[in-house]
Amino acid sequence: MPNLKSLMDQRATAWNQAQEFQSRGDDNPLSAEDRSAWDAALADVERLSTEIETEERHARLSAVDYSQVVPPEKTPEPGEDRQASQETAYRDAFSAFTRRGMSGLDNEQRQLLMSNQTEIRAGATSPGSAGGYFIPTDTLAKITETMKAYGGLLGAANVITTASGNPLNWPTNDDTSNVGAILAENAQITEQDVTLGQKTLGAYMYTSKLVRLSLQLIQDDAFGVESWLARKLGERIGRAVAAHLATGTGSSQPEGLFTNATAGKTGAAGQVTSVLYDDLVDLQHSIDPAYRGSAQWAMSDSALKVVRKLKDGDGRPLWEPSTQVGVPSSLLGSAVLIDNGIPVPAASAKSIGYGDINAAYVVRQVSGGQLMRLDERYADYLQVGFFGFMRLDAKPDDASAFKVYAHPAT
């Protein structure tokens, strides 16, 4: 990533220049020329930060981390070579199905796909059927990575993958208010029961909606329609998931992390779109130290713009830009996660969160996405319809691990 490295170096230089002018101003008032240069350096930091964020997002979308989905390479055990060969054959058959449909498959490919098929009869065509096939692992990884890019919360949450979509129950317990005691000699031990609860995750169906491609585009396929289409479908599903992971109601959709989160700090009257340095400190310390070792900030880009303008008592910006590729910029010593599904600063909005998101939020995904191809429905347009779908649910787990900054109503 030479371009990203160059941008990081430029931002580090601009930041150092700004800090130098800041240190001068600590002793004597800056001259008009120096203040102009200081403002220019800060403007460069702002501009370069935006470019870096764009480059990092592009890198996430174009360079999929397959290790998150595909097991790392190891010495094949007996039978593994055969399994790898079957996976390659399935991927090739799926690619052929995407480009040419069932008629473009040989008998072996057709049997391979049908062994994993969920067939859905298309009532709009007679005769006719639409086969839904599991998306190969590497293509599914592209969709998953795209969803993470659009919804930063997904990458930080505790993600559980299950083979089926049956209700998933798990016990809960909060024993933090109970403490032990000194026992006097010959005294009976006091009883203190633990209180157990239960939470349940379902599996809501997310769809990319329908995409129609012309036969000419599919047949020519000069750029790899399978990967391109997977990315587009993943972006659509990702946008829908991102909004729900942040502020979903929990009724007929996942419950968002911010929806019912406890306010660790509420702004004073008049702070309907603003936040103070002291507010952020209070929010950090509203989280128990046991969680702060893995804690991070979560906010939208609009909220980050507000926060980046804050300065401490010596006039130094709270936001610390990263000067190293792969190391996130920090705020009061903690990383900042950006997710535009999180509410922007506004009256009564919960716009900034802080805590251990992995402990606070759990996401359940049903393994495997599926892609549907509709050959006959749009045949008179010489088009083929495609849509993808995935099943997912999410809800808060440990409420003590994450709290939010709430703006006042007025």
Side-chain angles (χ1 to χ4, degrees), residues 277 280-282 284 297 318-320 330-335 354:
Y277 167 59
L280 297 181
V281 173
D282 288 343
Q284 267 194 322
W297 301 94
L318 301 183
W319 181 78
E320 301 174 20
S330 63
L331 174 66
L332 296 179
S334 297
Y354 182 78

Side-chain angles (χ1 to χ4, degrees), residues 118 120 131-135 140 143 204-209 233 237 366-373 387-392:
T118 300
I120 301 177
Y133 297 98
F134 292 110
I135 299 173
L140 178 60
I143 292 178
Y204 295 107
M205 181 70 76
Y206 283 86
T207 173
S208 64
K209 298 184 179 179
L233 300 184
I237 295 174
V366 179
S367 63
Q370 284 190 307
L371 182 142
M372 302 288 293
R373 175 181 170 123
F387 63 90
F389 54 91
M390 299 183 71
R391 301 172 70 190
L392 178 147

Side-chain angles (χ1 to χ4, degrees), residues 385-404:
F386 294 91
F387 63 90
F389 54 91
M390 299 183 71
R391 301 172 70 190
L392 178 147
D393 193 12
K395 62 177 52 179
D397 188 4
D398 186 349
S400 300
F402 186 85
K403 295 185 180 180
V404 296

Side-chain angles (χ1 to χ4, degrees), residues 40 60 86 91 95 115 155 167 174 220 228 233 252 267 301 381:
R60 290 195 301 268
Q86 290 177 337
R91 183 167 56 250
S95 178
S115 67
D174 182 359
D220 293 343
W228 173 82
L233 300 184
S252 301
D301 190 63
Y381 292 97

